[in-house]
């Protein structure tokens, strides 16, 4: 098969105007951005308010290898299969981050004949939404340090007199708003800012700080969870960026920077319309990771798509312990719209990797030997798939297992896997998914089974209720969600929980950050671990997003680059075309 | 008068397709980005290669106050005046940086009835070019630290064996590529990256570093100076980011990141087409500041505009000692196209500020008293205008002084100023410029005089030749250019000059970074200083941009936010409109 970028270039795409018309947007509801992208005006939501809401299908997966198991391929492939069957359908996916693109994983446009096109435009900058999040986030960070600097330089009284503003008396040891960058940049995890060997009046006041990747920004979560521009503005104003010397929370509103942040995100709140290689209208919006953020594309995009199309296919990042859990307990709880069906993507490669019999190093490509038949590994790794099927069934959501075929897979082993799944005592459907090699033609069976499951009455049950204590909610995700035996809160975490409860933030949801490479919090434990502990290192209040963010174990919110990063193969050829992107 | 943003909103704009047609682009040569912006494909340059090249008008100014003297207003106003006279005309300006927008100065779209529209789209994100520069720049920074980390973690031999790549042996004390951010963020001037209290294997290796504002990135200069995509790619590969332990220069090509950086800037190399309030086609491209960078919009945009239009109006940042000098000695030397006429913008306010009789603090708004008649201050500050007229004449470029009228100005004082200029012994024309209040109607006299000066035979002479030594070239700018009595090189600067000469970089141009608020390197010295010294603190090789960057005195390459930054007045109203932008 051709490389993804060549398949994409060889496909004749439809104009974005025609795609927008097909999706059901009126002429004033979209603004083309070049030939193949359009920004969608939120005015369409007013017009569509009375429309019937279509079915929402959430694609999730087994515990993945570091390269992923093809959730986006399946999401795009499934949408194309549904279209082949004559249904109206849209896909909703996240905007890819430059971190993985230049790091290990490469692009996130799907692959083969199930791609969002043009893939290089999706993978690089798109319509600038992630950059807007980064810019708005770092504006608040600059505002914090500037305020500390001017208040301390002048003294609180002089500051108040001179500016006619109230001094905020920010405790520079208690600033909880890091800076962000959309790159994998290990060296920025812990930094000292405001360094000044000689003179405090020059570079501000020294303090310890750090950078997260933009996908982990609370603003990214807000973009994905906001209902409209006004809700975005209100949520931004609730963000707590620091605490005063008296321990009082200081918000972006206190810094008078919330308005400017919202202004900076005014275009980002509009989803971007693109198309799949087979012309399925696709909305791209927001890009939170599912390990260190809530991992789902936006409520606004789903809201638009489900009012326009019979079926909307979206995805939650990583395995069902990650993005799927957060789709249910954070996204659906906010939007009020639960998924009508879940698709659990599995691969032979991924199951064998879950046997623990192969050495997989985070940040490194997976070994080719994973594609060779290995019955013992398959049987052992199968436990992981069972775990994810059971996990999805906990939420009362009907499911279909999609076996995402890789070109190198053995036919015999694929059939074996299907038999093993059929033999399970769950009401789950199974289908081979060949979207990568065949596009929509390869996913019609999957599409039929998904449509069938969508007819079932959903009995959606989230894992916890808002009124439970913060501790109980974290326990619910760790124990009922992951199957942990225990949860250990650090002293710091206990103190933070106490303060958040005191300050009235007890009713927020919880968002756990952990490795996606294991159901447990330890990346090397494969399969379906039991009896493990979930250590909660520290918490972060995300009052604007509406959740409390809990860091499990040694999870990092800024990835690093490997020895041979993906950027090394990228270039522009003599005709001005991009090469090396996949 | 209405605020700028309301004037802009009240104006009925032409579709960008119609503007592109009017400018002379064929349908395949532009891609609309929403209703009022379009990216211009560089393919147009091939078609236009045989066209006659029109006249290039460079707008410069006296030494400005921190708020500027209205160069962009005059640039846009003049282009509208020329159009009113029936000429074909285009304007070429830089993309505004978010630093000044959220900091002190506000937007950079012009003002009143001489604006580029829609001003909020120009001022915020535009088509993402500055973000692309920032992303490409910081990718190289992440690549450097990742390489240092992996080589030191594994040891050079193990690294080479494991990766089959040559160890670069980067001296972590000699990394010369800082990170960048498009904000005024004082606390990032000096930072420590890779901090790790416990374990080097987690956060990389600690070293001292800093951030510049994106406008000062060498990549921004490359974007502005490149001839085409291939030239951009080649220039990026020549960037020296660090030195090895043996003192050898290490380039982005050595890091195998140059290709990915070019990929990231592939859309940024296309200028963005917009329109003025009176429908003059305007190209926006690149955004280097003129104090800490070379301060002019792109060669590509000028190249396109001068082949399409009879007249192209562009501007160099700050006074004629700044952007104008660099337009002549760097930009024109690279492009081969010298300006045919210079417009020197002056204001009553700016001249009075140059008297030194008013207290002006950098980073603070100018006092209102500057608008009251003050003959002594005007006479004293007039010396500054004389200096700039003489400076422009040095280069053999015919000039027109544009007196940019502010609504608050006294008519009597404006007439006085015109008489003073007429009395000067220079072949300079003078015109009142009323673009702010009247648009093109207010600049027709200026336009006529500029057109007249464009008919003169240009005798363009740059200040120095490539083959002179680095020291001689810096001396030429400081003494012949600024009128300094002496130049003092620090020991560090002398060492750096020696090394650069040795390593074959002696033929590059020189780009001096200094305060724009004085002709000297000391911001508080107003008027037309004489007998001053120019201290050269240190140099930075910009082998990709093609110049050696010299930092004069204590100039900062990352601005800071003032006590009451401009962002405090920005917000979104209940109808979703931006308020507070000017």
């Amino acid at each position: 098969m051709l490389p993804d970028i060549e398949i994409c270039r060889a496909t004749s795409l439809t104009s974005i105007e025609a795609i927008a018309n097909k999706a059901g947007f009126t002429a004033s509801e979209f603004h083309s951005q070049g030939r193949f992208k359009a920004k969608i005006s939120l005015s369409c939501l007013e017009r569509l308010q009375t429309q019937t809401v279509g079915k929402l299908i959430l694609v999730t997966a087994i515990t993945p290898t570091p390269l992923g198991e093809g959730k986006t391929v399946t999401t795009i492939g499934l949408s194309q299969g549904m279209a082949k069957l004559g249904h109206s359908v849209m896909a909703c996916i996240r905007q890819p981050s430059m971190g993985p693109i230049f790091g290990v994983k490469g692009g996130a446009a799907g692959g083969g004949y199930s791609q969002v096109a043009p893939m290089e435009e999706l993978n690089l900058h798109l319509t600038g939404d992630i950059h807007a999040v980064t810019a708005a986030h770092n504006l608040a960070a600059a505002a914090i340090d500037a305020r500390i600097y001017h208040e301390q330089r002048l003294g609180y009284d002089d500051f108040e007199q001179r500016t006619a503003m109230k001094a905020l008396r920010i405790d520079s040891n208690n600033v909880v708003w890091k800076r962000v960058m959309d790159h994998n940049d290990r060296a920025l995890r812990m930094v000292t800012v405001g360094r000044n060997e000689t003179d405090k009046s020059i570079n501000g006041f020294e303090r310890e700080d750090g950078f997260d990747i933009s996908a982990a920004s609370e603003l990214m979560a807000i973009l994905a969870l906001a209902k409209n521009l006004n809700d975005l503005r209100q949520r931004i104003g609730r963000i707590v960026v620091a605490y005063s010397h008296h321990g009082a929370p200081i918000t972006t509103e206190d810094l008078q920077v919330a308005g400017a942040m919202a202004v900076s995100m005014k275009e980002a709140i509009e989803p971007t319309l693109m198309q799949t290689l087979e012309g399925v209208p696709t909305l791209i919006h927001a890009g939170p990771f599912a390990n260190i953020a809530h991992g789902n594309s936006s409520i606004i995009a789903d809201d638009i798509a489900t009012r326009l199309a019979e079926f909307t296919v979206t995805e939650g990042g990583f395995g069902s312990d990650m993005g799927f859990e957060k789709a249910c307990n954070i996204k659906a709880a906010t939007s009020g719209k639960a998924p009508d069906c879940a698709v659990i993507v599995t691969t032979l490669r991924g199951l064998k990797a879950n046997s623990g019999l192969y050495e997989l190093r985070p940040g490194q490509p997976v070994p080719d030997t994973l594609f060779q038949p290995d019955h013992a590994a398959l049987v052992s790794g199968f436990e992981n798939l069972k775990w994810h099927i059971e996990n999805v069934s906990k939420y009362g959501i009907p499911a279909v297992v999609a076996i995402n075929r890789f070109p190198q897979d053995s036919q015999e082993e694929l059939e074996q896997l299907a038999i093993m799944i059929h033999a399970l005592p769950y009401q789950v459907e199974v289908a081979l998914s060949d979207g990568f090699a065949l596009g929509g033609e390869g996913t019609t069976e999957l599409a039929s089974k998904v449509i069938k499951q969508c007819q079932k009455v959903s009995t959606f049950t989230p894992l916890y209720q808002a009124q439970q204590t913060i501790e109980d909610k974290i326990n619910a995700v760790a124990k009922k969600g992951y199957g942990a035996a225990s949860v250990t809160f650090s002293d710091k975490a206990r103190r933070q929980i106490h303060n958040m409860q005191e300050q009235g933030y007890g009713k927020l949801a919880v968002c756990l950050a952990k490795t996606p490479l294991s159901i447990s919090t330890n990346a090397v434990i494969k399969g379906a671990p039991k009896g493990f502990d979930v250590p909660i290192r520290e918490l972060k209040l995300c009052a604007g997003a509406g959740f409390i963010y809990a860091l499990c174990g040694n999870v990092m919110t800024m990835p690093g680059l490997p020895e041979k990063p993906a950027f090394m193969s990228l270039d522009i050829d003599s005709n001005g075309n991009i090469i090396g992107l996949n």
Side-chain angles (χ1 to χ4, degrees), chain A:
Chain A
M1 263 178 70
L2 291 171
D4 290 351
I5 195 163
E6 291 183 30
I7 291 173
C8 189
R9 278 209 196 109
T11 305
S12 144
L13 300 178
T14 307
S15 78
I16 199 64
E17 290 78 16
I19 293 289
N21 289 338
K22 177 178 165 181
F25 294 107
T26 67
S28 68
E29 290 171 352
F30 68 93
H31 299 297
S32 307
Q33 308 284 320
R35 284 181 299 163
F36 303 118
K37 299 185 298 259
K39 275 286 195 185
I40 301 300
S41 164
L42 299 197
S43 66
C44 69
L45 273 175
E46 284 163 45
R47 176 175 64 86
L48 297 169
Q49 215 44 244
T50 54
Q51 290 289 309
T52 326
V53 177
K55 299 290 185 184
L56 181 64
I57 298 137
L58 179 60
V59 178
T60 180
I62 60 166
T63 302
T65 66
L67 294 183
E69 300 319 303
K71 252 193 331 291
T72 309
V73 167
T74 308
T75 301
I76 301 308
L78 171 58
S79 73
Q80 294 183 152
M82 290 180 139
K84 280 256 182 289
L85 296 178
H87 294 282
S88 85
V89 56
M90 285 180 80
C92 291
I93 65 167
R94 286 168 294 165
Q95 183 186 351
S97 155
M98 296 219 177
I101 290 165
F102 293 131
V104 180
K105 201 170 180 176
Y113 291 91
S114 292
Q115 291 187 51
V116 177
M119 66 93 96
E120 65 267 47
E121 294 186 24
L122 176 66
N123 282 319
L124 298 162
H125 308 304
L126 192 65
T127 48
D129 296 352
I130 295 182
H131 293 318
V133 166
T134 306
H137 185 116
N138 291 333
L139 177 64
I144 297 163
D145 276 303
R147 192 65 173 251
I148 292 173
Y149 168 73
H150 290 297
E151 289 192 11
Q152 297 205 7
R153 179 178 62 91
L154 296 167
Y156 299 130
D157 290 346
D158 272 16
F159 177 86
E160 295 194 342
Q161 210 172 356
R162 182 151 153 180
T163 64
M165 300 191 295
K166 213 173 153 315
L168 296 177
R169 295 163 198 257
I170 297 168
D171 177 358
S172 61
N173 293 314
N174 208 353
V175 174
V176 292
W177 190 254
K178 294 184 188 179
R179 288 172 174 82
V180 296
M181 197 173 271
D182 189 31
H183 281 306
N184 290 1
D185 196 345
R186 182 186 288 106
L188 293 181
R189 281 178 190 155
M190 284 178 71
V191 302
T192 305
V193 300
R195 262 187 45 224
N196 47 71
E197 269 69 60
T198 46
D199 183 356
K200 286 203 190 314
S201 72
I202 293 178
N203 296 342
F205 287 82
E206 191 169 308
R207 64 180 185 84
E208 306 203 341
D209 198 10
F211 282 69
D212 291 333
I213 191 161
S214 302
S217 165
E218 182 177 350
L219 279 183
M220 185 62 91
I222 289 175
L223 181 63
L225 293 168
K227 289 184 180 65
N228 51 49
L229 183 59
N230 184 48
D231 187 30
L232 178 92
R233 173 63 185 81
Q234 299 310 315
R235 284 172 179 268
I236 289 174
R238 289 200 290 269
I239 295 172
V240 172
V241 294
Y243 295 86
S244 74
H245 285 293
H246 306 295
I250 292 165
T251 65
T252 55
E253 212 72 85
D254 295 326
L255 283 164
Q256 291 172 256
V257 72
M261 293 166 76
V263 164
S264 183
M265 289 175 67
K266 190 174 180 289
E267 291 178 7
I269 201 171
E270 300 183 335
T272 300
L273 178 70
M274 293 184 76
Q275 64 189 291
T276 75
L277 292 179
E278 296 178 10
V280 173
T282 304
L283 292 176
I284 327 291
H285 206 205
F289 290 172
N291 52 343
I292 53 175
H294 82 284
N296 285 270
S297 61
S298 83
I299 286 178
I300 287 175
D302 285 2
D303 200 9
I304 294 170
T306 52
R307 286 167 201 279
L308 286 170
E310 204 181 339
F311 295 100
T312 296
V313 190
T314 186
E315 60 172 323
F318 299 115
S320 82
D321 51 327
M322 309 296 294
F324 173 86
E325 180 268 310
K326 291 157 179 169
C328 293
N329 295 309
I330 298 174
K331 187 179 177 182
T334 307
S335 70
K337 168 76 181 165
D340 296 286
C341 174
V343 173
I344 306 168
V345 177
T346 188
T347 61
L348 288 176
R349 175 182 87 170
L351 288 180
K352 282 183 267 181
N354 265 294
S355 69
L357 298 170
Y358 292 83
E359 203 211 341
L360 297 170
R361 292 187 308 134
Q364 298 295 322
V366 297
D368 278 349
T369 48
L370 272 179
F371 287 112
Q372 284 152 25
D374 181 341
H375 188 67
L378 182 59
V379 168
S380 166
F382 187 71
E383 293 303 306
N384 184 266
L385 174 59
K386 270 169 64 184
W387 188 96
H388 287 285
I389 294 171
E390 212 170 296
N391 186 46
V392 168
S393 73
K394 260 181 237 164
Y395 291 84
I397 299 173
V400 181
V401 175
I403 306 176
N404 178 32
R405 195 171 81 82
F406 277 68
Q408 308 97 311
D409 284 344
S410 113
Q411 190 57 36
E412 198 191 325
E413 224 175 14
L414 286 169
E415 283 162 19
Q416 225 168 48
L417 175 59
I419 293 167
M420 289 160 76
I421 300 168
H422 278 298
L424 290 174
Y426 303 109
Q427 291 196 330
V428 74
E429 299 278 341
V430 192
L432 194 70
S433 179
D434 217 351
F436 186 85
L438 302 175
E441 283 295 348
T443 60
T444 48
E445 187 198 342
L446 173 65
S448 306
K449 291 187 172 169
V450 167
I451 291 166
K452 189 177 136 200
Q453 293 292 65
C454 280
Q455 310 318 319
K456 292 192 179 163
V457 178
S458 170
T459 55
F460 177 69
T461 327
L463 284 187
Y464 54 81
Q465 299 298 323
Q467 59 271 23
Q468 289 176 253
T469 65
I470 296 170
E471 210 168 314
D472 282 355
K473 285 181 274 197
I474 291 173
N475 269 307
V477 174
K479 295 181 183 168
K480 284 162 69 181
Y482 307 156
S486 59
V487 179
T488 306
F489 293 89
S490 71
D491 289 348
K492 182 176 185 181
R494 288 205 178 280
R495 255 195 334 271
Q496 290 175 315
I497 288 175
H498 175 81
N499 290 342
M500 288 177 196
Q501 257 352 124
E502 288 282 297
Q503 287 169 344
Y505 297 112
K507 296 218 169 128
L508 300 182
V510 296
C511 180
L512 273 62
K514 76 164 183 76
T515 176
L517 303 178
S518 170
I519 292 162
S520 78
T521 58
N522 183 345
V524 303
I525 304 179
K526 300 294 167 195
K530 284 194 178 68
F532 57 90
D533 179 67
V534 171
I536 305 292
R537 185 173 93 214
E538 63 174 294
L539 305 175
K540 194 181 162 320
L541 173 64
C542 296
F547 55 69
I548 290 161
Y549 185 60
L551 294 159
C552 302
N554 61 359
V555 66
M556 300 276 188
T557 49
M558 169 55 96
L561 286 170
E563 293 146 25
K564 274 194 169 181
F567 68 65
M568 287 187 173
S569 58
L570 276 169
D571 212 333
I572 286 175
D573 70 14
S574 54
N575 298 319
N577 292 318
I578 295 171
I579 51 175
L581 196 62
N582 60 42

